[in-house]
mmCIF file of all heavy atoms in Angstrom:
data_model
loop_
_atom_site.group_PDB
_atom_site.id
_atom_site.type_symbol
_atom_site.label_atom_id
_atom_site.label_comp_id
_atom_site.label_asym_id
_atom_site.label_seq_id
_atom_site.Cartn_x
_atom_site.Cartn_y
_atom_site.Cartn_z
ATOM 1 N N ILE K 1 0.850 -1.184 0.000
ATOM 2 C CA ILE K 1 0.000 0.000 0.000
ATOM 3 C C ILE K 1 0.889 1.238 0.000
ATOM 4 O O ILE K 1 1.880 1.323 0.725
ATOM 5 C CB ILE K 1 -0.938 0.002 1.219
ATOM 6 C CG1 ILE K 1 -1.904 -1.189 1.123
ATOM 7 C CG2 ILE K 1 -1.731 1.308 1.307
ATOM 8 C CD1 ILE K 1 -2.835 -1.333 2.299
ATOM 9 N N GLY K 2 0.526 2.204 -0.838
ATOM 10 C CA GLY K 2 1.295 3.436 -0.902
ATOM 11 C C GLY K 2 2.388 3.406 -1.947
ATOM 12 O O GLY K 2 3.326 4.211 -1.903
ATOM 13 N N LEU K 3 2.292 2.470 -2.905
ATOM 14 C CA LEU K 3 3.285 2.439 -3.981
ATOM 15 C C LEU K 3 3.105 3.657 -4.885
ATOM 16 O O LEU K 3 1.985 4.155 -5.061
ATOM 17 C CB LEU K 3 3.139 1.152 -4.803
ATOM 18 C CG LEU K 3 3.486 -0.162 -4.084
ATOM 19 C CD1 LEU K 3 3.190 -1.345 -4.995
ATOM 20 C CD2 LEU K 3 4.950 -0.184 -3.658
ATOM 21 N N PRO K 4 4.161 4.143 -5.505
ATOM 22 C CA PRO K 4 4.056 5.351 -6.341
ATOM 23 C C PRO K 4 3.304 5.107 -7.644
ATOM 24 O O PRO K 4 3.188 3.980 -8.117
ATOM 25 C CB PRO K 4 5.529 5.694 -6.624
ATOM 26 C CG PRO K 4 6.264 4.393 -6.491
ATOM 27 C CD PRO K 4 5.539 3.629 -5.415
ATOM 28 N N ASP K 5 2.782 6.221 -8.195
ATOM 29 C CA ASP K 5 2.149 6.220 -9.529
ATOM 30 C C ASP K 5 1.006 5.234 -9.653
ATOM 31 O O ASP K 5 0.784 4.629 -10.704
ATOM 32 C CB ASP K 5 3.195 5.917 -10.617
ATOM 33 C CG ASP K 5 4.336 6.926 -10.607
ATOM 34 O OD1 ASP K 5 4.059 8.115 -10.327
ATOM 35 O OD2 ASP K 5 5.479 6.505 -10.850
ATOM 36 N N GLY K 6 0.269 5.051 -8.581
ATOM 37 C CA GLY K 6 -0.910 4.185 -8.629
ATOM 38 C C GLY K 6 -0.611 2.728 -8.855
ATOM 39 O O GLY K 6 -1.480 1.953 -9.269
ATOM 40 N N GLN K 7 0.624 2.296 -8.596
ATOM 41 C CA GLN K 7 0.978 0.892 -8.791
ATOM 42 C C GLN K 7 0.266 0.020 -7.753
ATOM 43 O O GLN K 7 -0.005 0.447 -6.642
ATOM 44 C CB GLN K 7 2.495 0.711 -8.660
ATOM 45 C CG GLN K 7 3.306 1.412 -9.727
ATOM 46 C CD GLN K 7 4.795 1.242 -9.489
ATOM 47 O OE1 GLN K 7 5.232 0.199 -8.990
ATOM 48 N NE2 GLN K 7 5.573 2.249 -9.832
ATOM 49 N N THR K 8 -0.021 -1.218 -8.136
ATOM 50 C CA THR K 8 -0.657 -2.171 -7.226
ATOM 51 C C THR K 8 0.321 -3.295 -6.927
ATOM 52 O O THR K 8 1.016 -3.783 -7.822
ATOM 53 C CB THR K 8 -1.933 -2.763 -7.862
ATOM 54 O OG1 THR K 8 -2.792 -1.689 -8.231
ATOM 55 C CG2 THR K 8 -2.676 -3.641 -6.867
ATOM 56 N N ALA K 9 0.368 -3.692 -5.681
ATOM 57 C CA ALA K 9 1.318 -4.721 -5.260
ATOM 58 C C ALA K 9 1.041 -6.052 -5.933
ATOM 59 O O ALA K 9 -0.071 -6.342 -6.369
ATOM 60 C CB ALA K 9 1.255 -4.889 -3.749
ATOM 61 N N GLY K 10 2.097 -6.854 -6.009
ATOM 62 C CA GLY K 10 1.971 -8.192 -6.571
ATOM 63 C C GLY K 10 1.263 -9.133 -5.621
ATOM 64 O O GLY K 10 0.757 -8.727 -4.564
ATOM 65 N N PRO K 11 1.218 -10.420 -5.942
ATOM 66 C CA PRO K 11 0.456 -11.382 -5.140
ATOM 67 C C PRO K 11 1.033 -11.563 -3.735
ATOM 68 O O PRO K 11 2.255 -11.531 -3.547
ATOM 69 C CB PRO K 11 0.565 -12.672 -5.951
ATOM 70 C CG PRO K 11 1.806 -12.509 -6.775
ATOM 71 C CD PRO K 11 1.888 -11.050 -7.082
ATOM 72 N N LEU K 12 0.140 -11.783 -2.771
ATOM 73 C CA LEU K 12 0.533 -11.975 -1.369
ATOM 74 C C LEU K 12 -0.191 -13.191 -0.812
ATOM 75 O O LEU K 12 -1.410 -13.328 -0.961
ATOM 76 C CB LEU K 12 0.174 -10.741 -0.538
ATOM 77 C CG LEU K 12 0.330 -10.871 0.988
ATOM 78 C CD1 LEU K 12 1.796 -11.092 1.364
ATOM 79 C CD2 LEU K 12 -0.237 -9.644 1.693
ATOM 80 N N LEU K 13 0.561 -14.076 -0.167
ATOM 81 C CA LEU K 13 -0.011 -15.214 0.557
ATOM 82 C C LEU K 13 0.218 -14.988 2.049
ATOM 83 O O LEU K 13 1.358 -14.828 2.492
ATOM 84 C CB LEU K 13 0.662 -16.521 0.106
ATOM 85 C CG LEU K 13 0.379 -17.766 0.966
ATOM 86 C CD1 LEU K 13 -1.103 -18.101 0.982
ATOM 87 C CD2 LEU K 13 1.194 -18.964 0.465
ATOM 88 N N ILE K 14 -0.875 -14.955 2.810
ATOM 89 C CA ILE K 14 -0.785 -14.829 4.263
ATOM 90 C C ILE K 14 -1.070 -16.204 4.861
ATOM 91 O O ILE K 14 -2.196 -16.709 4.769
ATOM 92 C CB ILE K 14 -1.784 -13.798 4.812
ATOM 93 C CG1 ILE K 14 -1.566 -12.427 4.158
ATOM 94 C CG2 ILE K 14 -1.662 -13.681 6.334
ATOM 95 C CD1 ILE K 14 -2.614 -11.384 4.532
ATOM 96 N N ILE K 15 -0.038 -16.842 5.417
ATOM 97 C CA ILE K 15 -0.221 -18.119 6.104
ATOM 98 C C ILE K 15 -0.638 -17.797 7.537
ATOM 99 O O ILE K 15 0.155 -17.285 8.327
ATOM 100 C CB ILE K 15 1.070 -18.954 6.084
ATOM 101 C CG1 ILE K 15 1.426 -19.344 4.647
ATOM 102 C CG2 ILE K 15 0.927 -20.203 6.949
ATOM 103 C CD1 ILE K 15 0.421 -20.279 3.997
ATOM 104 N N ALA K 16 -1.881 -18.060 7.859
ATOM 105 C CA ALA K 16 -2.448 -17.663 9.152
ATOM 106 C C ALA K 16 -2.731 -18.901 9.984
ATOM 107 O O ALA K 16 -3.676 -19.649 9.708
ATOM 108 C CB ALA K 16 -3.732 -16.856 8.940
ATOM 109 N N GLY K 17 -1.906 -19.144 10.981
ATOM 110 C CA GLY K 17 -2.100 -20.296 11.859
ATOM 111 C C GLY K 17 -3.390 -20.210 12.650
ATOM 112 O O GLY K 17 -4.010 -19.140 12.757
ATOM 113 N N ALA K 18 -3.804 -21.326 13.219
ATOM 114 C CA ALA K 18 -5.036 -21.374 14.009
ATOM 115 C C ALA K 18 -4.985 -20.345 15.132
ATOM 116 O O ALA K 18 -3.979 -20.234 15.839
ATOM 117 C CB ALA K 18 -5.221 -22.773 14.594
ATOM 118 N N GLY K 19 -6.069 -19.574 15.270
ATOM 119 C CA GLY K 19 -6.162 -18.615 16.364
ATOM 120 C C GLY K 19 -5.227 -17.433 16.252
ATOM 121 O O GLY K 19 -4.978 -16.742 17.240
ATOM 122 N N SER K 20 -4.730 -17.148 15.043
ATOM 123 C CA SER K 20 -3.734 -16.085 14.884
ATOM 124 C C SER K 20 -4.336 -14.744 14.483
ATOM 125 O O SER K 20 -3.608 -13.813 14.147
ATOM 126 C CB SER K 20 -2.689 -16.499 13.838
ATOM 127 O OG SER K 20 -3.292 -16.661 12.561
ATOM 128 N N GLY K 21 -5.657 -14.623 14.509
ATOM 129 C CA GLY K 21 -6.286 -13.352 14.159
ATOM 130 C C GLY K 21 -6.410 -13.137 12.668
ATOM 131 O O GLY K 21 -6.319 -12.024 12.164
ATOM 132 N N LYS K 22 -6.677 -14.214 11.932
ATOM 133 C CA LYS K 22 -6.755 -14.165 10.466
ATOM 134 C C LYS K 22 -7.838 -13.202 9.984
ATOM 135 O O LYS K 22 -7.579 -12.324 9.149
ATOM 136 C CB LYS K 22 -7.042 -15.579 9.941
ATOM 137 C CG LYS K 22 -7.456 -15.650 8.488
ATOM 138 C CD LYS K 22 -7.740 -17.059 8.072
ATOM 139 C CE LYS K 22 -8.921 -17.657 8.792
ATOM 140 N NZ LYS K 22 -10.210 -17.044 8.391
ATOM 141 N N THR K 23 -9.047 -13.354 10.513
ATOM 142 C CA THR K 23 -10.163 -12.516 10.056
ATOM 143 C C THR K 23 -9.904 -11.051 10.377
ATOM 144 O O THR K 23 -10.166 -10.163 9.559
ATOM 145 C CB THR K 23 -11.476 -12.979 10.716
ATOM 146 O OG1 THR K 23 -11.678 -14.363 10.418
ATOM 147 C CG2 THR K 23 -12.655 -12.179 10.204
ATOM 148 N N ASN K 24 -9.362 -10.797 11.559
ATOM 149 C CA ASN K 24 -9.057 -9.426 11.960
ATOM 150 C C ASN K 24 -8.014 -8.811 11.032
ATOM 151 O O ASN K 24 -8.119 -7.644 10.635
ATOM 152 C CB ASN K 24 -8.543 -9.431 13.406
ATOM 153 C CG ASN K 24 -8.441 -8.047 13.992
ATOM 154 O OD1 ASN K 24 -9.312 -7.200 13.799
ATOM 155 N ND2 ASN K 24 -7.367 -7.785 14.712
ATOM 156 N N THR K 25 -7.015 -9.596 10.657
ATOM 157 C CA THR K 25 -5.956 -9.105 9.770
ATOM 158 C C THR K 25 -6.510 -8.790 8.389
ATOM 159 O O THR K 25 -6.213 -7.736 7.801
ATOM 160 C CB THR K 25 -4.826 -10.145 9.658
ATOM 161 O OG1 THR K 25 -4.310 -10.418 10.967
ATOM 162 C CG2 THR K 25 -3.708 -9.654 8.765
ATOM 163 N N LEU K 26 -7.332 -9.685 7.854
ATOM 164 C CA LEU K 26 -7.892 -9.478 6.522
ATOM 165 C C LEU K 26 -8.813 -8.253 6.508
ATOM 166 O O LEU K 26 -8.776 -7.447 5.571
ATOM 167 C CB LEU K 26 -8.650 -10.728 6.076
ATOM 168 C CG LEU K 26 -9.043 -10.802 4.594
ATOM 169 C CD1 LEU K 26 -7.814 -10.706 3.702
ATOM 170 C CD2 LEU K 26 -9.800 -12.091 4.307
ATOM 171 N N ALA K 27 -9.630 -8.099 7.556
ATOM 172 C CA ALA K 27 -10.522 -6.938 7.642
ATOM 173 C C ALA K 27 -9.712 -5.638 7.715
ATOM 174 O O ALA K 27 -10.063 -4.631 7.077
ATOM 175 C CB ALA K 27 -11.430 -7.067 8.862
ATOM 176 N N HIS K 28 -8.628 -5.651 8.490
ATOM 177 C CA HIS K 28 -7.781 -4.462 8.571
ATOM 178 C C HIS K 28 -7.132 -4.152 7.225
ATOM 179 O O HIS K 28 -6.962 -2.976 6.867
ATOM 180 C CB HIS K 28 -6.694 -4.653 9.643
ATOM 181 C CG HIS K 28 -7.115 -4.236 11.014
ATOM 182 N ND1 HIS K 28 -7.853 -5.056 11.850
ATOM 183 C CD2 HIS K 28 -6.922 -3.069 11.703
ATOM 184 C CE1 HIS K 28 -8.070 -4.423 12.998
ATOM 185 N NE2 HIS K 28 -7.527 -3.214 12.936
ATOM 186 N N ARG K 29 -6.770 -5.175 6.486
ATOM 187 C CA ARG K 29 -6.156 -4.921 5.169
ATOM 188 C C ARG K 29 -7.159 -4.250 4.227
ATOM 189 O O ARG K 29 -6.823 -3.286 3.539
ATOM 190 C CB ARG K 29 -5.622 -6.217 4.553
ATOM 191 C CG ARG K 29 -5.020 -6.014 3.158
ATOM 192 C CD ARG K 29 -4.061 -7.121 2.757
ATOM 193 N NE ARG K 29 -3.574 -6.959 1.392
ATOM 194 C CZ ARG K 29 -2.611 -6.107 1.029
ATOM 195 N NH1 ARG K 29 -2.044 -5.336 1.932
ATOM 196 N NH2 ARG K 29 -2.216 -6.030 -0.234
ATOM 197 N N VAL K 30 -8.396 -4.753 4.209
ATOM 198 C CA VAL K 30 -9.420 -4.143 3.352
ATOM 199 C C VAL K 30 -9.671 -2.697 3.783
ATOM 200 O O VAL K 30 -9.727 -1.779 2.950
ATOM 201 C CB VAL K 30 -10.728 -4.958 3.404
ATOM 202 C CG1 VAL K 30 -11.831 -4.252 2.616
ATOM 203 C CG2 VAL K 30 -10.509 -6.358 2.860
#
């Protein structure tokens, strides 16, 4: 987020272990 000239980041894989706050992290990213 915040790349110059309107660029969009490449692919990202978030490996989220059990109970690691996966939903909270994804909601914060959106």
